[in-house]
């Protein structure tokens, strides 16, 4: 009998009846299964969780994004009503810090309505607590809301990296999908296998054109959600105006290679060992996401390395002001700036990219 709480057993039962799964289907089960999926059951972020993100490293990250939103709103002509949408808000820290920084303009706060898009019940609870005294009304939506009467600013930090990917490998001259199947020697375990059939035309079309003729053995990752997210942003921004900023880790243009990783308690673990127990992410291919956004009818600025972006938004000035206010935190604040901006830390691998309605002026900070 399959134990419904045992996600690996259920995935194995599904493979036995339907055959190997795409990595995207496996990730969807491992991350989002209602009963045992990672985001359904865990509060993963922070020192006691599995990984740490920029807003958890420093309040400066969310504050600068709040000021970026304020300048974007001013540049839009300070509309009376603005929807601020955050995708994957984690513990709510980025939003809380952004709203605190936004207090410098009462009319901006008065214009704001906040929508959070979050799948995890545990993180929704954390967000409610962090934002309990927020100076604005906070609503939830299951997906990026494409309808609505007002312009929107959409922000997303480390959201794209957890959306399911698919992998294809060039083998014997043909692209074959890398799948998740039953381990050949250990029937209770999962293993990567290859689809014996070459990829069909609609799947081949997902492979970026500059990689289609890559050498034997090349592995390419594609992100089916890119187009969906880009189209949802376009539907909202091209109708009512606004901008979206996505910050994440990954190259400006992918060159191939397996980047799927599982992290548990700050250590890398096997992505197939314990589905639902570890966070699964893969590097964002900003080149592919930019092409999806352009195809959806948006303008793209960036990607710009996070380090330079934060410096241009004034992270050093903010750090100096915080240090002056709290002498004993000088060292801690300097360490935070280093972690967020230095190329050896998050400064170069992480990047920010801005999507805007077609024909918009360049966005602030890019
Ligand atoms: N932005 C936060 C959290 C990053 S972790 C921070 O920087 O700290 C990824 C976040 O995206 C989590 O809040 C997770 O629950 C959420 N998430 C993942 N997939 C999602 C999906 N398909 N829809 C909505 N939220 C999702």
């Amino acid at each position: 009998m399959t134990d419904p709480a045992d996600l690996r057993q259920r995935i194995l039962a599904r493979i036995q009846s339907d055959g190997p799964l795409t990595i995207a289907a496996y990730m969807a089960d491992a991350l989002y299964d209602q009963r045992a999926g990672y985001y359904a059951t865990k509060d993963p972020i922070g020192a006691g969780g599995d990984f740490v993100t920029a807003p958890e490293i420093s309040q400066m990250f969310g504050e600068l994004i709040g000021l970026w939103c304020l300048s974007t709103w001013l540049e839009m002509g300070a509309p009376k009503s603005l929807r601020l949408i955050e995708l994957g808000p984690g513990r709510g820290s980025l939003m809380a810090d952004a709203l605190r920084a936004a207090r410098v303009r009462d009319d901006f706060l008065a214009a704001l309505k906040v929508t959070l898009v979050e799948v995890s019940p545990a993180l929704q609870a954390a967000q409610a607590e962090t934002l309990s005294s927020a100076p604005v009304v906070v609503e939830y939506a299951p997906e990026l809301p494409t309808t609505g009467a007002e312009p929107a600013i959409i922000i997303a930090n480390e959201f794209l990296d957890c959306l399911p990917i698919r992998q294809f490998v060039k083998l014997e001259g043909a692209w074959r999908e890398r799948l998740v199947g039953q381990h050949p020697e250990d029937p209770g375990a999962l293993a990567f296998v290859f689809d014996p059939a070459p990829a069909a035309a609609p799947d081949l079309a997902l492979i970026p054109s500059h990689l289609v003729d890559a050498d034997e053995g090349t592995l390419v990752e594609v992100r089916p959600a890119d187009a969906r997210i880009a189209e949802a942003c376009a539907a909202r921004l091209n109708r009512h105006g606004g901008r979206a900023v996505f910050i994440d880790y990954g190259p400006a243009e992918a060159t191939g290679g397996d980047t799927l990783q599982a992290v548990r308690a700050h250590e890398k673990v096997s992505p197939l060992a314990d589905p639902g127990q570890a966070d699964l992410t893969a590097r964002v291919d900003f080149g592919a996401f930019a092409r999806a956004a352009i195809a959806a009818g948006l303008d793209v600025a960036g990607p710009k390395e996070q380090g330079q972006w934060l410096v241009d938004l004034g992270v050093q000035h903010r750090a100096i002001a915080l240090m002056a206010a709290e002498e004993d935190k000088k060292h801690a604040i300097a360490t935070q700036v280093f972690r967020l901006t230095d190329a050896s830390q998050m400064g170069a691998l992480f990047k920010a990219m801005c999507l805007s309605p077609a024909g918009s002026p360049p966005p602030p900070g890019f």
Side-chain angles (χ1 to χ4, degrees):
M1 262 300 276
T2 310
D3 171 3
D6 187 328
L7 189 52
R8 185 169 26 159
Q9 275 191 25
R10 273 192 288 137
I11 291 172
L12 279 164
R14 194 172 154 196
I15 291 169
Q16 276 154 5
S17 81
D18 303 344
L21 304 176
T22 64
I23 292 176
Y26 170 76
M27 283 178 83
D29 278 358
L31 293 176
Y32 305 123
D33 181 80
Q34 301 246 326
R35 191 137 177 198
Y38 183 71
Y39 284 118
T41 57
K42 303 257 183 308
D43 174 357
I45 306 166
D50 294 312
F51 56 94
V52 177
T53 56
E56 303 302 324
I57 290 174
S58 172
Q59 68 183 77
M60 291 182 279
F61 186 79
E63 289 170 349
L64 292 171
I65 291 179
L67 295 178
W68 181 85
C69 293
L70 170 57
S71 3
T72 300
W73 172 77
L74 286 170
E75 176 236 40
M76 283 158 61
K80 287 257 166 319
S81 183
L82 177 77
R83 178 71 56 181
L84 178 58
I85 302 169
E86 184 173 2
L87 307 177
R91 302 191 56 78
S93 311
L94 193 167
M95 183 59 75
D97 294 335
L99 292 174
R100 193 178 54 256
R103 287 212 181 118
V104 294
R105 281 287 297 247
D106 288 348
D107 50 346
F108 177 54
L109 272 189
L112 279 185
K113 293 179 202 151
V114 171
T115 299
L116 303 179
V117 179
E118 174 58 66
V119 275
S120 155
L123 288 175
Q124 280 192 12
Q127 291 149 17
E129 197 178 318
T130 310
L131 295 167
S132 57
S133 56
V136 294
V137 177
V138 177
E139 291 170 9
Y140 276 93
E143 295 272 339
L144 176 57
T146 52
T147 54
E150 63 285 286
I153 295 180
I154 301 163
I155 54 180
N157 185 58
E158 290 211 50
F159 169 74
L160 295 173
D161 65 11
C162 55
L163 301 180
I165 61 158
R166 293 171 70 183
Q167 292 184 336
F168 295 88
V169 181
K170 186 70 119 3
L171 288 176
E172 291 156 4
W175 288 104
R176 286 167 216 276
E177 185 154 12
R178 192 171 184 235
L179 301 168
V180 177
Q182 194 166 25
H183 197 289
E185 278 121 44
D186 177 358
L190 296 163
F192 288 110
V193 298
F194 290 105
D195 192 340
D203 291 343
L204 278 181
L206 296 169
I207 296 173
S209 56
H210 67 280
L211 291 172
V212 165
D213 295 323
D215 294 341
E216 179 75 9
T218 303
L219 186 152
V220 169
E221 293 179 337
V222 302
R223 306 181 143 270
D226 278 359
R228 195 169 44 78
I229 303 282
E231 281 157 19
C233 288
R236 178 80 199 209
L237 300 180
N238 277 338
R239 206 169 306 145
H240 301 293
R243 297 198 192 267
V245 67
F246 288 86
I247 306 121
D248 226 305
Y249 80 113
E253 192 67 75
T255 52
D258 172 19
T259 76
L260 179 66
Q261 67 166 25
V263 172
R264 187 173 183 182
H266 307 271
E267 300 282 346
K268 282 195 187 174
V269 294
S270 153
L272 302 186
D274 285 304
Q277 298 299 317
D279 181 46
L280 291 176
T281 62
R283 292 185 178 204
V284 170
D285 177 354
F286 280 97
F289 188 49
R291 285 188 289 278
I294 290 166
L298 293 167
D299 280 356
V300 175
K304 180 166 174 177
E305 289 185 357
Q306 172 173 301
Q308 191 59 49
W309 189 57
L310 293 178
V311 167
D312 289 349
L313 292 181
V315 71
Q316 281 143 337
H317 301 283
R318 182 64 189 134
I320 289 165
L322 286 175
M323 285 172 177
E326 290 185 279
E327 277 282 324
D328 57 325
K329 298 228 173 101
K330 260 190 174 160
H331 182 71
I333 293 165
T335 306
Q336 292 169 8
V337 174
F338 179 73
R339 287 182 70 185
L340 293 178
T341 62
D342 196 81
S344 69
Q345 308 286 306
M346 300 175 82
L349 177 59
F350 281 75
K351 297 178 184 71
M353 195 165 91
C354 181
L355 312 183
S356 309
S360 303
F366 282 87

